Amino acid sequence: MDERKGGAAATTHNSVSGNAVITGPLVMAGRVETLSMAPAPPGVTPRQIPPATASFVNRTKEIDRLRSIADALRDSHVPGIVVLSGLPGVGKTELVSQWVARALEPSYPGGHLYADLEEGRRDGAVDVSGVLAGFLRSLGVHPEFVPASLGERTALFRSVTSGRHTLVVVDNARQAAEVRPLVPATGLLVATSRTSLPALAMDGAVSIGLEPLDDRAGVELVRGWQVTDMDNAARTLVRRCSGLPLALRAVGEWLAKHPQLSLADAVRVMDTTGLPASQDGTASMKTVLDMAYADLSDPARQLYRILGWLPCTSVTAGLVAAAGVPAVDDAVGELITAHLLVVVRSCDRPHRFRLHDVVRTHTRQMASGLPEAERRAVLRGVVEFYAAAAAHADILVLGTGRFRLQAPPTRALEELCPSEQMFTDSAEALEWLDAERGNLLNLLRAAADERWDDMVWQLCESLWALYHSRKHHLESIEAHGLGVEAARRNGRADAEVRMRNQRARAYYELASYGEAGRELALARTLLGSVSDARLSGMIHETQGLVALASGNHGDAYALFGQALEANSSLDDTHGVVVQSYNIGQALVAAGRLQDALDVLDEARVTAVDSGDVAMLPRIDIVRARALQGLNRLVPASEAAMRAVEQANERKQYAKLDQALSILSELATGISDARLRAACEAKLRELHRGVGVPSEDD
């Protein structure tokens, strides 16, 4: 029986393109079974909750309450929610850390996840989708398998945490909507907030209010400082600090710097402000922070003021140096010692710090008198630092062969951050970009407000490495909107074309094809003003992808053809291979299967000859679909098998998933039960390796 009829019996010399000649029936089950899948990275159960400190008193009742809730959920398949509310500085996060360190049972084998929502809050809103993406990666989901939309990420998070008790702690929640997507399928979510978030009561949330320390507990905390003059002065100090542990610890650090002074002296210094303690403790905190600020060195004060208005969510040594602060390490160290900066726990480089949300209000007050010229100069230095660092990261992630409009950075990474290494390879560079997302977007906005247009569009161009790889498409849309305006003001039609294309790709990934089409139509009107054919090729390719996704196969074919012409005119072999692959996709979608095979076979030969091996799995996957449509199931299976081997070799896990799925489907068509079983077994192995539950898990 001829294999073109779908049979599995032997024929002789059945030609399979790709320079392979197969004699007899194709038996591929053994090739799949012996496939050495790339090993998954070592599984590390996340334990992200900030560590507990030694100075902690009271709170026995609240810890017991948390323990009893956790115990009640031990055998439950329904997740629990706890809202821990109280004044800023009252010790909500520290209470959770103490509970985890002292009394947490069960151990939550799924892991401990932590996020401070204030770090990702911009204009009052939190990027919950970004938080979920970080959680999924921490739980072992490979970045290629993190979906694009919030709904899909929420669903995958629930699938991953189903049946594996997971503890999630989120600090500084403001509303129920930013908490609900972060609730694990099995386990417990603890949210800290200034309010009790009453809307979460509908979800069964338990509310625990955390009051300031009373006199007895506050005096016990002060006793740990081993100071003299304890009795009345200690009680007075606790009351002056409104029982807020953060304020008391700041006074303790102040006293440690002045060992010749007593508690009574600290009280007298606080009283000199004449500020009575307000009901919410604000005046008390201001008094304590005034004391701490007055005791800082000049570089530390300078850094403190700068952090009050600089639109950054976290601080690194590179940022501090770019802001012009001398003695960087000493200044940062002083603020940490004084409890004014908090260490952000992270396994990547560089070390990051952030202001406590109570402290940030005070830094803004201290910064109010800074001259506008000084502010602008500092902001310019910080934006230039991030633009150069992002350009270095982009080059490491996407390589030197990527088409870029901007010139390479003139300063080396070591010059940008001499005291600490930021990143050394593509993986670290991508992690750095992701960790700095909040700073990058906020500084991009600030640069746009200042009309530093060249830096705005250049920074956007570099951020493609982050936004596309990590699927932060909504941020990409906002950022590239700023880039479009900056390029237009800058008179750079080429940059505007690139900005609109990158924005359109974000809309395309979100299936917002109408918005993508509008961006591309505007970009296309500018093509007559630019001379580089690569830009027109980009626009035609993205238009083709949108047309293909929208079902307009004929338009897609024509647009990919225009993109192919542009790449051919530049002798861009990789571009020729990519556009030929796209044309093949359009032809398959249009049902022109033999035409598709002709184009794809030629593209495959070009890819092999030019060493463009990364494109081979893609090409063979589409070839398999074309052959399947022609009912040539045996050669289709061989094409899919080849895609499996190539994708696995190159660790292209998403393509490996596609290729194995197609091969399993084809195995059914050729009645090869062993091959299908082998594919399904390898799919399960793959999904375990990339952290994604299989359908039968």
Side-chain angles (χ1 to χ4, degrees):
M1 183 184 292
D2 194 317
E3 85 284 0
R4 290 173 184 262
K5 301 297 184 182
T11 57
T12 57
H13 297 291
N14 297 319
S15 177
V16 179
S17 68
N19 300 321
V21 177
I22 297 125
T23 302
L26 295 174
V27 180
M28 287 168 285
R31 288 164 68 183
V32 175
E33 290 165 350
T34 58
L35 195 66
S36 297
M37 304 285 280
V44 177
T45 302
R47 297 284 187 248
Q48 299 175 348
I49 312 303
T53 62
S55 56
F56 185 79
V57 297
N58 204 8
R59 311 307 193 196
T60 303
K61 180 179 67 174
E62 290 85 359
I63 287 180
D64 287 344
R65 186 85 185 280
L66 284 169
R67 178 164 47 191
S68 67
I69 293 169
D71 287 345
L73 291 167
R74 186 190 303 270
D75 299 317
S76 174
H77 296 291
V78 178
I81 303 174
V82 172
V83 178
L84 193 60
S85 60
L87 295 172
V90 79
K92 299 184 291 293
T93 305
E94 180 63 26
L95 171 63
V96 175
S97 297
Q98 294 289 338
W99 166 59
V100 170
R102 297 180 180 190
L104 178 60
E105 289 293 342
S107 60
Y108 287 93
H112 302 168
L113 301 171
Y114 173 81
D116 183 350
L117 299 186
E118 206 61 37
E119 290 180 20
R121 194 178 298 282
R122 289 179 284 278
D123 296 335
V126 172
D127 178 16
V128 179
S129 183
V131 174
L132 275 172
F135 281 178
L136 288 169
R137 291 196 301 273
S138 296
L139 291 170
V141 177
H142 191 279
E144 288 185 19
F145 288 81
V146 175
S149 71
L150 173 60
E152 290 173 317
R153 288 178 179 179
T154 302
L156 180 57
F157 179 63
R158 288 174 180 157
S159 296
V160 170
T161 56
S162 178
R164 46 192 285 197
H165 278 69
T166 305
L167 173 66
V168 178
V169 176
V170 290
D171 267 343
N172 294 305
R174 294 188 188 177
Q175 48 189 311
E178 60 194 30
V179 172
R180 286 190 176 109
L182 307 177
V183 177
T186 312
L188 176 64
L189 178 138
V190 179
T192 72
S193 178
R194 297 187 185 186
T195 70
S196 61
L197 301 178
L200 285 177
M202 298 176 61
D203 302 83
V206 177
S207 180
I208 300 177
L210 195 60
E211 298 298 328
L213 298 176
D214 58 23
D215 286 358
R216 182 192 59 78
V219 169
E220 182 184 347
L221 179 62
V222 173
R223 186 171 285 114
W225 303 346
Q226 298 180 352
V227 292
T228 59
D229 190 24
M230 277 291 303
D231 299 332
N232 292 331
R235 281 191 292 273
T236 303
L237 180 63
V238 171
R239 291 169 185 172
R240 289 287 190 278
C241 291
S242 297
L244 298 177
L246 180 65
L248 285 166
R249 289 194 183 98
V251 174
E253 292 293 341
W254 183 86
L255 277 169
K257 289 185 178 181
H258 302 85
Q260 76 280 11
L261 300 180
S262 66
L263 284 176
D265 294 319
V267 172
R268 278 194 294 273
V269 171
M270 293 183 71
D271 285 345
T272 58
T273 63
L275 291 171
S278 63
Q279 186 175 1
D280 66 358
T282 304
S284 296
M285 278 304 305
K286 181 183 185 308
T287 304
V288 172
L289 294 174
D290 283 344
M291 289 172 59
Y293 175 79
D295 210 43
L296 295 173
S297 67
D298 286 342
R301 285 189 197 179
Q302 181 184 354
L303 175 57
Y304 191 78
R305 291 192 301 271
I306 287 172
L307 296 179
W309 61 267
L310 203 61
C312 294
T313 60
S314 62
V315 183
T316 63
L319 183 154
V320 175
V325 177
V328 170
D329 292 337
D330 292 342
V332 171
E334 273 194 72
L335 296 187
I336 292 172
T337 300
H339 295 287
L340 303 176
L341 270 183
V342 179
V343 178
V344 177
R345 300 293 170 180
S346 174
C347 60
D348 64 331
R349 293 190 300 259
H351 294 98
R352 289 183 178 80
F353 317 94
R354 65 171 178 83
L355 289 168
H356 192 287
D357 52 334
V358 177
V359 175
R360 185 173 292 279
T361 301
H362 188 259
T363 61
R364 292 186 183 125
Q365 295 169 351
M366 295 296 103
S368 60
L370 283 174
E372 186 60 32
E374 180 181 342
R375 289 187 186 218
R376 210 160 181 266
V378 169
L379 180 62
R380 179 86 187 188
V382 172
V383 172
E384 287 176 347
F385 162 76
Y386 273 102
H392 278 291
D394 169 44
I395 291 169
L396 276 175
V397 175
L398 297 179
T400 56
R402 181 200 178 200
F403 168 51
R404 295 175 177 87
L405 294 173
Q406 62 183 296
T410 56
R411 289 189 292 170
L413 274 175
E414 295 76 13
E415 183 184 350
L416 289 172
C417 187
S419 64
E420 189 176 18
Q421 200 170 46
M422 289 192 288
F423 43 81
T424 60
D425 57 26
S426 61
E428 289 183 357
L430 187 56
E431 289 301 326
W432 179 86
L433 286 167
D434 213 357
E436 294 284 355
R437 277 171 51 222
N439 288 346
L440 287 163
L441 186 55
N442 284 346
L443 289 167
L444 190 66
R445 292 166 170 167
D449 289 341
E450 294 289 344
R451 298 295 193 263
W452 296 332
D453 295 327
D454 52 347
M455 282 195 292
V456 171
W457 70 257
Q458 288 172 21
L459 184 53
C460 281
E461 184 178 47
S462 299
L463 289 179
W464 175 253
L466 165 67
Y467 291 147
H468 187 67
S469 298
R470 288 291 167 86
K471 305 176 186 177
H472 300 307
H473 300 311
L474 291 177
E475 284 189 20
S476 182
I477 288 167
E478 179 187 353
H480 286 97
L482 297 174
V484 165
E485 296 304 316
R488 181 183 294 168
R489 288 192 299 264
N490 212 206
R492 291 289 302 262
D494 55 349
E496 185 178 346
V497 169
R498 173 140 233 186
M499 295 296 98
R500 290 196 182 279
N501 184 68
Q502 293 187 180
R503 196 170 196 229
R505 290 298 286 263
Y507 279 125
Y508 163 77
E509 294 293 343
L510 292 171
S512 298
Y513 303 131
E515 294 293 339
R518 280 186 279 277
E519 288 292 334
L520 293 165
L522 290 168
R524 194 158 182 168
T525 64
L526 298 170
L527 292 180
S529 305
V530 299
S531 57
D532 197 317
R534 286 172 291 189
L535 291 168
S536 61
M538 264 179 223
I539 297 303
H540 295 141
E541 178 186 16
T542 306
Q543 284 185 311
L545 291 172
V546 171
L548 186 61
S550 303
N552 300 320
H553 308 139
D555 290 346
Y557 173 76
L559 288 161
F560 290 141
Q562 290 177 284
L564 177 62
E565 288 179 16
N567 284 280
S568 298
S569 70
L570 294 164
D571 293 324
D572 181 354
T573 305
H574 172 68
V576 168
V577 171
V578 170
Q579 301 315 324
S580 299
Y581 159 75
N582 284 331
I583 288 171
Q585 288 194 97
L587 289 169
V588 168
R592 296 170 57 186
L593 302 178
Q594 188 57 56
D595 290 341
L597 276 177
D598 294 341
V599 171
L600 291 166
D601 287 347
E602 186 176 347
R604 195 180 197 287
V605 171
T606 304
V608 170
D609 291 345
S610 64
D612 196 357
V613 292
M615 285 298 298
L616 293 178
R618 295 184 177 194
I619 293 170
D620 277 329
I621 286 171
V622 182
R623 287 184 64 249
R625 284 300 187 200
L627 288 163
Q628 182 184 29
L630 291 168
N631 206 27
R632 297 170 60 188
L633 301 187
V634 171
S637 301
E638 178 61 27
M641 182 71 238
R642 222 181 316 225
V644 166
E645 293 169 333
Q646 294 156 353
N648 184 59
E649 180 182 348
R650 292 166 185 84
K651 299 181 181 180
Q652 297 176 349
Y653 298 121
K655 292 301 173 186
L656 177 57
D657 187 47
Q658 275 185 269
L660 280 168
S661 298
I662 293 171
L663 186 56
S664 176
E665 183 181 325
L666 289 164
T668 301
I670 60 175
S671 302
D672 193 331
R674 180 183 165 193
L675 175 59
R676 180 175 179 180
C679 290
E680 290 176 350
K682 288 299 176 182
L683 278 168
R684 288 192 294 271
E685 184 180 342
L686 170 65
H687 291 168
R688 284 193 297 270
V690 299
V692 177
S694 296
E695 291 182 4
D696 53 355
D697 284 352

